[in-house]
Amino acid sequence: MKRNKAFKVLPVLASALVLSLVAACGNSGTTKEANGSASPATTASVSKDPVKVTLWTPMNPNAKAVVKSLNELPMVQEWAKKTNVLFDFQHSSGNTPQDDVQQYGVMVASNNLPDSMLWNWNSVQGGTAKMFKDGTIIKLNDLIEKNAPNLKKILDANPQIAKQIKADNGDIYALPHLKVGEYGQYKTFSGMVIRQDWLEELGLQAPETVDEWETVLRAFKEKKGVIPFTLNKSYPLSFADFAGAYGVAGMSTIANASSFYIDGGKVKFGPTQPEFKQYLTTMQKWYKEGLIDPDFASNDTKTMDAKITSGKAGAFYGFIGGSIGTYTPALQKTDPKAKLAAVQYPVLKKGDEPKFVQASWEYDNIGTVITSSNKHAAETVKAIDYLYSDEGAMLKNFGVEGQTYTKADGQPKYTDLILKNPDNLPISQAMAKYFIANYGFSGLDDDRYNDQYYQLQAQKDAVKLYAKYANNAYKVMLPPVVLSTDEAKESAKILNDVSTLLTEQITKVVMGTVKVEDYDKTMEQVKKMNIDRAVEIYQAATDRYNKR
């Protein structure tokens, strides 16, 4: 898919105003772009009591650690002053995604709806299309046309984004979280991570092929006496996308849309492809030789963290911020020479480019919907549209100028309130205490925050390395399709049954209690569970998406 790079998000100096929830006494006006043309006005033109709008959203863990509600954020308070709309945040009281789903269900069933809701709508069976059909939310096409000039400008300039946020019939139901433009190009944030200092000590190069990985892992085991490759039970069955080296999508602890992929325009289910058996053969061999953590199926996050930070593991699948940024200082407390480095996704043949890499679309299905209870729909859309403007994007990603950032050579730079927080908060939590940058929220992302959020050189290098082949992912990734209510219900039943069987059988194959050859019997059972019907459903949804 050709990526449209036409639209550019240009920074505009955000006003440093005193924090309060009182409406701003500003004049209507325009902001100037680089070419001198005027962009739509983004501030309230009349001094009056703010419109109050409730917004339900689960709270990001970083924010949850430092504030009781997003209402406390200076960025949110400044946003209210700029738009004359005061969002009253309501948060799920749960601690897990399952809790959030349950609370959402109770809220909808009781018809006790807030004015708006922000979430990853993949969490709801049938998604936003079903919510609209059920009367929970309203359609936004006309409201965007009349009240969201900044978002409309982006959609007009980037037809592939308009395609992503629309339903198959052309309806728009959510005001999206977007990564687009000059400062929104990084769409990958995780991948393979390895002990770089051990590679150097052993005279080894960063592995690129599966065979090179085997050589490195064996060296870690034999010469360092460690667990060569560790992982946790959240994604054990894909082994951090080693399956992708064999040209198929892997599988996490559940069989879901991520297990489907595109091959020549056709949807396929990774675990039923012949190449998947080749991958299992390698994984069984590695497990038998002790190259894979023997506890891979039971490790939780804390267990895996402990193995890595204590220097007992040589490689793993991780994240630029939460893994490299967290594990490195922990390791260096006891081993100052310890170094972590990103490693490219594996391939079978030297020189091949990886395709099954982590990447995201410009729209990640996180967005704000307007419920049927909202009596201020136009004002709500106008206020959220501010976050798609140059000024609003600066506020969302960097906070209030003079408080959490300043300008240096035209570029936003965080103050010591963020980088050297006086309460010793880690950067991720310091950011979350003041503004919204490192998690999904309606509006535009600005990747310039990564230059400071990722303070270690290893993190900065990882951003570039993981992004190198990210565009290849779009050749095999299932597009952001929308299933009908009936399709979602039918495919969910199939995949739940398939997941239970595959989780058990793949684990047994890797551990060697079941022969690889016997996986043929598992595939026969999967076919009897109607996996081909699930493929048909996703193929139909993909065909509809391509016709949007």
Side-chain angles (χ1 to χ4, degrees), residues 32-44:
K32 292 287 184 178
E33 297 183 342
N35 61 8
S37 61
S39 65
T42 56
T43 59

Side-chain angles (χ1 to χ4, degrees), residues 195 197-204 216-228 310-314 335:
R195 282 293 297 264
D197 56 318
W198 291 353
L199 288 179
E200 295 170 1
E201 176 188 333
L202 299 173
L204 298 169
V216 167
L217 296 180
R218 186 172 289 112
F220 282 175
K221 178 178 184 291
E222 295 175 353
K223 298 181 180 181
K224 297 300 297 182
V226 299
I227 299 168
S310 63
K312 295 178 180 177
D335 183 359

Side-chain angles (χ1 to χ4, degrees), residues 62-63 66-67 69-70 72-75 404 417-418 421 423 425 427-436 439:
N62 283 320
V66 290
V67 295
S69 167
L70 294 185
E72 299 175 33
L73 271 58
M75 169 256 156
T404 51
L417 193 60
I418 303 301
N421 184 265
D423 296 323
L425 294 176
I427 292 177
S428 57
Q429 292 181 8
M431 292 167 66
K433 186 175 180 179
Y434 292 93
F435 51 87
I436 297 165
Y439 57 91

Side-chain angles (χ1 to χ4, degrees), residues 1-5 160 362 474:
M1 181 176 73
K2 186 176 180 181
R3 319 303 294 166
N4 188 327
K5 309 264 185 176
Q160 86 278 4
E362 287 90 346
Y474 300 108

